[in-house]
Amino acid sequence: MKIIISGAFAIGKHLARLLSRNHEDITLIDSDSDRLSKVGMDYDLLTLEGHPGSIATLREAGAEEADLYISVTPDEALNLNSCILAHALGTTKTVAKIDNPEYVKPENQEFFEQLGVNSLIYPEMLAAVDINNGLKMSWVRQRWDVHNGALVMLGIKLRETCTILDKPLKEISGPDDPYHIVAIKRHDETIIPGGNDALKLYDLAYFMTTKEYIPYIRKIVGKEHYVDVKNVMVMGGGRTAVRAINTMPEYLNVKVIEIDNDRCEKLNDLINGDKALVINGDGRDIQLLIDEGIRNTQAFVALTASAETNILACLTAKRLGVRKTVAMVENIDYATMAESLDIGTVINKKVIAASHIYQMMLDADVFNVRFLTSANADVAEFVAKAGSKVTQHLVKDLGLPAGVTIGGLVREEKGMLVSGNTQILPGDTVVIFCHNINMKKIEKFFN
């Protein structure tokens, strides 16, 4: 597949990293030679210094024969314009990063298709979904719903109250148990576990289960004493905060603290109805946090433009008694550090956006691709095609590569856990975890 990426910024660089693992034919365009030189040294791709809005540059990059053109510069207008040009030159499919929520409304999809823009990526919207999923349960680091909740993946930090520590998984998570542990993050190591592996104190364990057994998981990991989230405090009133607040459940009481007075005035117009109380102040001011009820707050969400500020604010909130903290951390290296500091849920909207774009590279019917930053793993939903290899043998006989595990499947809208004796059928939606493995290698099992 020939792919052109415009914009050697965070999303473009992360995409380049993901795609270079697949040995695709990739050309990265940027007008800044310094940004290109940093990327070119790290990844297997071609770089082209030039303006993405130039027809000559797009032709030189090979837009006339390209399968996919992705424009992820910070300039929305440039992204849309260059996609239109690439499409006119002959590129099969185009993707543009945008900043305007109006553009992603379903009724506007056909309009952009006619212009030559096949897909729109709005990172703030994607991040808002992850933020709100993280607020659903105070005791969970990460929640991922498969097929509208038919299956649920829960990333849980294991503390001293966990009742299933230090026991082989084959004893606590057999074929008849209502959960499987599909991945474990232990210090800097990610483990795709086998039956002889055991959970350890402070592991970040990824459980796959069905919705009705979530209370059971909460009990065995010793999190029943965690108070459910009702009061939320948000620091920072940027686009991600607005999108997250406007889509938060009605039962949440939300306060947003914004340091800029003019932005506070705008927030009163941007936030729907009485969804949140807007407070003008510095979210790093401990006395302000106390005055605004931080001690009676179950979740603190730090969404300023500064990763350092967000990390420190979440640490402060934890010390003031907040159980659930969410930090937006755009620097991937900082994201790893935030996990080691026990911040809680870490949101990186650039990684989230890159994961959504990445699934467009895959030939199989694949949905909901996610890169789990904390576990350095990919997870996705594959649909098994009739006659595919995955339907020809029991799971234990499929010969899946090392570093790959099946979390579960959805059949006729019903979630099911998977054991070695499970037979996958055509049409099943199968949840696949991959650690240090090219997801392209999994496609052959489903096509």
Side-chain angles (χ1 to χ4, degrees):
M1 179 179 279
K2 180 170 180 55
I3 302 165
I4 301 171
I5 303 172
S6 287
F9 297 86
I11 296 178
K13 286 193 290 185
H14 189 68
L15 268 175
R17 186 190 72 79
L18 289 173
L19 298 176
S20 62
R21 298 185 309 187
N22 298 351
H23 305 292
E24 305 285 3
D25 178 4
I26 305 168
T27 301
L28 179 63
I29 302 173
D30 199 283
S31 56
D32 189 302
S33 58
D34 290 339
R35 281 196 297 267
L36 287 175
S37 63
K38 292 175 184 177
V39 175
M41 290 186 293
D42 296 331
Y43 309 127
D44 180 20
L45 48 75
L46 296 174
T47 59
L48 175 61
E49 184 179 350
H51 192 271
S54 163
I55 294 173
T57 298
L58 293 175
R59 279 188 168 141
E60 187 177 353
E64 291 159 315
E65 303 89 29
D67 298 292
L68 183 62
Y69 176 83
I70 305 163
S71 192
V72 285
T73 78
D75 187 335
E76 176 186 73
L78 177 60
N79 294 337
L80 292 170
N81 185 54
S82 62
C83 281
I84 293 168
L85 292 174
H87 173 79
L89 287 170
T91 299
T92 305
K93 191 172 185 179
T94 65
V95 183
K97 182 183 83 70
I98 53 98
D99 304 320
N100 189 338
E102 179 189 11
Y103 293 167
V104 294
K105 291 181 178 179
E107 60 265 29
N108 292 329
Q109 183 175 350
E110 184 179 350
F111 171 75
F112 282 103
E113 285 270 4
Q114 291 172 349
L115 289 176
V117 185
N118 302 108
S119 296
L120 298 171
I121 297 294
Y122 181 27
E124 286 76 16
M125 181 179 72
L126 301 175
V129 172
D130 276 17
I131 290 166
N132 288 334
N133 278 340
L135 294 178
K136 287 178 181 177
M137 295 179 287
S138 61
W139 52 280
V140 169
R141 282 287 178 90
Q142 190 168 11
R143 172 174 173 157
W144 189 62
D145 288 359
V146 179
H147 218 77
N148 298 318
L151 283 172
V152 181
M153 184 197 75
L154 305 173
I156 303 171
K157 188 79 169 183
L158 304 182
R159 308 288 183 182
E160 290 84 354
T161 52
C162 180
T163 64
I164 53 174
L165 297 177
D166 303 314
K167 300 174 184 178
L169 294 187
K170 61 186 177 184
E171 294 181 10
I172 62 171
S173 179
D176 297 326
D177 288 295
Y179 68 92
H180 287 167
I181 295 164
V182 292
I184 302 169
K185 177 67 182 297
R186 181 173 298 154
H187 307 301
D188 294 329
E189 180 186 12
T190 295
I191 302 166
I192 301 297
N196 293 320
D197 288 302
L199 297 173
K200 302 293 184 182
L201 185 64
Y202 304 131
D203 280 352
L204 178 59
Y206 290 88
F207 291 73
M208 184 64 71
T209 188
T210 51
K211 191 174 290 185
E212 63 267 29
Y213 286 104
I214 290 176
Y216 176 75
I217 303 297
R218 184 175 187 172
K219 180 180 179 180
I220 63 174
V221 298
K223 304 277 187 174
E224 288 182 300
H225 61 288
Y226 277 58
V227 178
D228 290 333
V229 175
K230 182 179 179 182
N231 300 319
V232 180
M233 195 172 287
V234 179
M235 184 176 78
R239 287 200 304 261
T240 304
V242 171
R243 187 72 191 184
I245 292 168
N246 281 338
T247 52
M248 282 181 183
E250 294 294 333
Y251 64 82
L252 292 179
N253 300 316
V254 185
K255 292 181 179 179
V256 55
I257 301 175
E258 168 57 45
I259 196 168
D260 183 87
N261 186 61
D262 291 338
R263 182 62 181 174
C264 285
E265 293 294 329
K266 291 181 181 178
L267 287 174
N268 286 315
D269 295 327
L270 293 171
I271 294 174
N272 296 338
D274 56 355
K275 292 280 289 188
L277 174 64
V278 178
I279 300 163
N280 181 213
D282 189 341
R284 297 168 296 183
D285 183 340
I286 295 177
Q287 189 57 52
L288 173 66
L289 297 179
I290 293 172
D291 291 344
E292 292 301 335
I294 189 75
R295 298 193 190 280
N296 191 37
T297 296
Q298 293 81 42
F300 183 87
V301 185
L303 301 176
T304 76
S306 168
E308 297 92 332
T309 298
N310 294 339
I311 291 169
L312 289 172
C314 284
L315 287 172
T316 301
K318 284 254 183 182
R319 289 175 182 174
L320 292 171
V322 179
R323 285 281 192 185
K324 179 72 178 182
T325 58
V326 180
M328 187 165 69
V329 181
E330 293 300 270
N331 185 312
I332 294 175
D333 295 330
Y334 279 16
T336 303
M337 180 187 70
E339 289 286 348
S340 68
L341 290 172
D342 208 15
I343 288 298
T345 302
V346 175
I347 298 293
N348 185 305
K349 63 187 179 189
K350 296 180 174 66
V351 170
I352 297 169
S355 297
H356 277 258
I357 298 171
Y358 177 57
Q359 76 184 46
M360 301 174 191
M361 315 308 112
L362 302 171
D363 297 326
D365 287 338
V366 59
F367 307 94
N368 223 355
V369 173
R370 293 296 181 93
F371 180 70
L372 303 177
T373 309
S374 56
N376 191 26
D378 299 315
V379 59
E381 302 172 32
F382 282 85
V383 178
K385 293 182 180 178
S388 61
K389 184 178 179 180
V390 78
T391 65
Q392 302 300 310
H393 307 280
L394 298 178
V395 166
K396 64 183 179 181
D397 300 322
L398 288 176
L400 293 171
V404 174
T405 187
I406 296 177
L409 62 83
V410 179
R411 179 178 297 160
E412 295 178 352
E413 307 302 321
K414 183 179 179 181
M416 303 168 53
L417 298 178
V418 170
S419 70
N421 292 317
T422 299
Q423 176 70 60
I424 295 172
L425 302 179
D428 286 350
T429 298
V430 184
V431 182
I432 297 289
F433 284 76
C434 304
H435 172 59
N436 283 341
I437 191 81
N438 185 340
M439 204 172 277
K440 279 280 188 182
K441 294 182 179 179
I442 308 303
E443 285 186 304
K444 63 183 180 181
F445 288 90
F446 289 87
N447 279 334

